[in-house]
Amino acid sequence: MITRKEKREQEKNVNYFLEFQKICHHFFKGFTNRLRKVKDPRHQSYVTYDSDLMLWMMILKNVCQFTSMRSLSNGLNREECIDNLQKMLATQELHELPHYDTINDFLSRLDPKELENIRIGLIRELLKKRCFEAERIEGKYWGIIIDGTGLFHFNKKHCAHCLKREHTHKKTGETWTDYQHHVLEAKLVVGDMVLSIDSEFIENEHEDVTKQDCERRAFERLSTRLKATFKRLPICILADSLYACESVFQRCEANRWKYMFRFKAGSIPSVAQEFEALKALKYRGQSATTYWVNDIAYQERKLNALEATVQEKEKTHTFLFLTNLPITEKKAEVLVAVGRRRWKIENQGFNRQKHVQYAIQHVNSQNHQAMKNHYLLTQIADILMQLYEKGSKLLRTQKKTAKEISSALLEAIRTRRLTEEDMASLVKPMQVRFTG
């Protein structure tokens, strides 16, 4: 255990903003250039602030835990911040940082595909570096968790794309409508990190649709795009019981993906009954913590079922999974752990982004397109932040909380000026380990 004095000694000459930049540069050397090359929708004769500055401001909003656009403008309104961003972007002149209204205006015009392409580039760079090869399932498949979550709720109709939910008060019978915006997220799971690889917004095409958009429809769109983007990537889809259905099985098999879904008996009763019958024949009353049955016939395929009882603290949990991965005695325990990775999107994913770091449920703009871009920029910032948190040996040694890490970053930006020597250090080779 490190003492408080040792902590102070370690931090004495550390510029956390520089350390963050080193991690970004190590994994994504051309990251700022990518931000600079987005297709800028503004009339260039009226542009005061370039796209890379605007987008970096939004990334800093997230990593420094500014909960609103106003707090971002106020929090970075210092000469040191202006000077640091000027050096980081290699800009000749920068006298002011853009106001939050200017940034929101830019985001309301920017095509979200530009940010989606940046994120794709980041994921491809990570895969090329082969630093997460040990995290592959069975040494081959990349685990991608799929799940949806709610982002924004309004008492009145926000836009033509809102999902509508009708509610009735149990006692009074009073009815009201809740207008919502949801998103379906695909996250690449590597160790303790869950990195956004794709997002599909669950929304209506227009306000007069006869049937509202839903999570499964969004999965059809997301899976089509994911396959087109990563054609040869060996993927294993991890998801909850909502996805244990014929349409999802067909899509995964057509894409040559493996899958592992939580299973509830009520979703496919015939499979549940067959599993129980075959399990009784196979184990004949033997007591075990793990049971499995391969080759359960369903429609045009055969499914494998895996049941595990896990003791955690004082609670006992039973998990049941459906998969097209073959199950053996040697693989059973490992596959249980693989199936349970799905919870990472709830804990390290949505819960972290909603309640710990990024406040993704806060409405930063009323503009529909800007709302999407805010969300996508948070996913990009989160990739950088997770690599920084898990890859920095100093942060692992000091065991800082997420809030402390963000506070240290903000303090460094606001109080310590980057020097020419600091900028030169970014190109020096470094080694990043995610363990130890």
Side-chain angles (χ1 to χ4, degrees):
M1 177 69 71
I2 187 172
T3 66
R4 288 182 296 171
K5 183 176 181 181
E6 289 171 335
K7 256 188 176 182
R8 292 196 301 272
E9 287 298 318
Q10 285 182 351
E11 291 187 292
K12 190 176 290 183
N13 298 311
V14 174
N15 182 335
Y16 282 105
F17 183 50
L18 177 62
E19 295 303 309
F20 177 70
Q21 289 297 319
K22 285 180 179 179
I23 292 289
C24 293
H25 189 79
H26 173 77
F27 287 103
F28 316 113
K29 288 182 172 60
F31 179 65
T32 298
N33 284 333
R34 292 180 186 181
L35 301 184
R36 190 173 291 132
K37 289 178 181 178
V38 299
K39 190 174 180 180
D40 195 333
R42 300 170 296 169
H43 195 292
Q44 294 304 297
S45 63
Y46 297 104
V47 168
T48 303
Y49 303 105
D50 291 333
S51 59
D52 56 345
L53 174 60
M54 306 279 241
L55 297 175
W56 256 117
M57 287 279 289
M58 290 310 306
I59 290 169
L60 293 178
K61 173 189 179 293
N62 286 287
V63 301
C64 295
Q65 290 192 24
F66 289 111
T67 55
S68 69
M69 295 295 286
R70 186 185 297 274
S71 63
L72 169 68
S73 287
N74 293 336
L76 296 186
N77 188 28
R78 292 176 67 99
E79 293 296 333
E80 290 87 351
C81 298
I82 297 171
D83 188 53
N84 284 332
L85 280 166
Q86 181 179 351
K87 284 191 173 66
M88 184 183 77
L89 301 175
T91 303
Q92 290 185 351
E93 290 188 4
L94 184 62
H95 303 297
E96 290 288 346
L97 296 180
H99 188 269
Y100 66 85
D101 282 338
T102 305
I103 299 174
N104 267 337
D105 178 68
F106 170 67
L107 294 180
S108 70
R109 304 184 194 189
L110 181 67
D111 187 343
K113 289 181 180 178
E114 296 292 321
L115 299 181
E116 291 170 359
N117 289 335
I118 289 173
R119 175 175 55 186
I120 290 169
L122 300 186
I123 295 297
R124 282 180 170 156
E125 283 292 315
L126 289 176
L127 295 176
K128 281 180 184 177
K129 288 185 179 294
R130 305 179 69 86
C131 51
F132 299 117
E133 290 294 307
E135 303 299 334
R136 292 199 192 205
I137 297 167
E138 295 189 346
K140 181 177 181 181
Y141 304 103
W142 293 102
I144 294 182
I145 312 173
I146 306 290
D147 202 7
T149 191
L151 293 177
F152 312 117
H153 295 261
F154 301 95
N155 295 326
K156 298 180 180 180
K157 186 179 76 171
H158 168 261
C159 66
H161 305 286
C162 290
L163 301 175
K164 294 190 291 185
R165 296 289 184 269
E166 304 290 341
H167 302 277
T168 303
H169 196 282
K170 290 183 179 179
K171 293 183 178 179
T172 65
E174 179 186 0
T175 62
W176 72 95
T177 303
D178 190 22
Y179 297 89
Q180 306 173 358
H181 286 262
H182 290 199
V183 67
L184 182 67
E185 188 66 27
K187 291 192 182 288
L188 176 70
V189 55
V190 284
D192 290 332
M193 294 184 285
V194 283
L195 310 175
S196 178
I197 191 171
D198 204 340
S199 309
E200 179 61 36
F201 294 94
I202 306 172
E203 57 186 17
N204 296 327
E205 289 186 26
H206 52 83
E207 57 185 319
D208 298 323
V209 292
T210 55
K211 193 171 183 180
Q212 295 198 94
D213 198 12
C214 65
E215 202 168 314
R216 283 183 183 170
R217 284 184 179 181
F219 176 72
E220 290 179 11
R221 302 191 298 270
L222 183 147
S223 59
T224 299
R225 188 171 57 245
L226 191 62
K227 180 61 178 178
T229 305
F230 300 96
K231 292 182 177 65
R232 298 182 180 179
L233 192 68
I235 287 173
C236 180
I237 298 292
L238 310 173
D240 62 24
S241 57
L242 176 69
Y243 294 85
C245 66
E246 178 64 16
S247 62
V248 177
F249 293 148
Q250 287 181 356
R251 189 161 287 271
C252 288
E253 289 159 6
N255 291 339
R256 297 184 179 181
W257 292 344
K258 298 299 181 182
Y259 53 80
M260 193 162 191
F261 303 138
R262 279 294 305 275
F263 180 56
K264 292 181 180 178
S267 56
I268 312 179
S270 62
V271 172
Q273 292 165 10
E274 185 78 1
F275 171 67
E276 291 299 330
L278 292 173
K279 183 177 74 170
L281 286 173
K282 180 178 180 179
Y283 293 97
R284 298 183 182 278
Q286 297 176 34
S287 179
T289 56
T290 306
Y291 303 93
W292 70 90
V293 174
N294 288 317
D295 300 328
I296 299 174
Y298 176 68
Q299 305 285 30
E300 301 297 323
R301 69 188 53 78
K302 291 184 178 180
L303 299 170
N304 307 321
L306 173 62
E307 182 182 270
T309 302
V310 179
Q311 185 75 31
E312 289 183 339
K313 297 181 180 179
E314 298 179 356
K315 293 183 179 181
T316 300
H317 303 278
T318 299
F319 300 97
L320 183 57
F321 303 98
L322 284 184
T323 180
N324 58 352
L325 290 165
I327 308 168
T328 65
E329 186 172 356
K330 288 183 177 180
K331 291 181 181 179
E333 294 293 338
V334 174
L335 289 177
V336 170
V338 168
R340 295 187 66 197
R341 288 185 190 178
R342 192 202 73 78
W343 288 104
K344 288 182 181 290
I345 199 170
E346 295 285 353
N347 299 326
Q348 286 94 319
F350 299 141
N351 184 59
R352 165 191 168 102
Q353 292 192 5
K354 288 180 179 181
H355 308 299
V356 179
Q357 279 191 303
Y358 309 122
I360 59 172
Q361 291 177 299
H362 177 79
V363 181
N364 290 292
S365 172
Q366 292 291 331
N367 179 273
H368 178 245
Q369 188 153 305
M371 288 165 67
K372 288 184 176 182
N373 284 325
H374 275 285
Y375 178 80
L376 294 172
L377 281 163
T378 298
Q379 303 317 304
I380 291 170
D382 189 49
I383 292 173
L384 302 179
M385 197 61 168
Q386 287 189 70
L387 293 171
Y388 173 56
E389 290 175 358
K390 304 298 183 183
S392 169
K393 184 177 180 180
L394 178 62
L395 293 181
R396 292 200 307 272
T397 302
Q398 298 210 338
K399 300 186 184 301
K400 286 182 178 290
T401 64
K403 186 173 183 61
E404 289 170 341
I405 292 170
S406 293
S407 295
L409 263 175
L410 178 57
E411 182 182 4
I413 297 169
R414 285 167 52 89
T415 62
R416 303 191 63 163
R417 294 179 188 264
L418 293 173
T419 65
E420 296 300 327
E421 184 180 353
D422 290 334
M423 300 309 297
S425 70
L426 294 178
V427 299
K428 293 180 181 178
M430 62 182 292
Q431 190 175 57
V432 176
R433 296 184 182 275
F434 292 97
T435 58

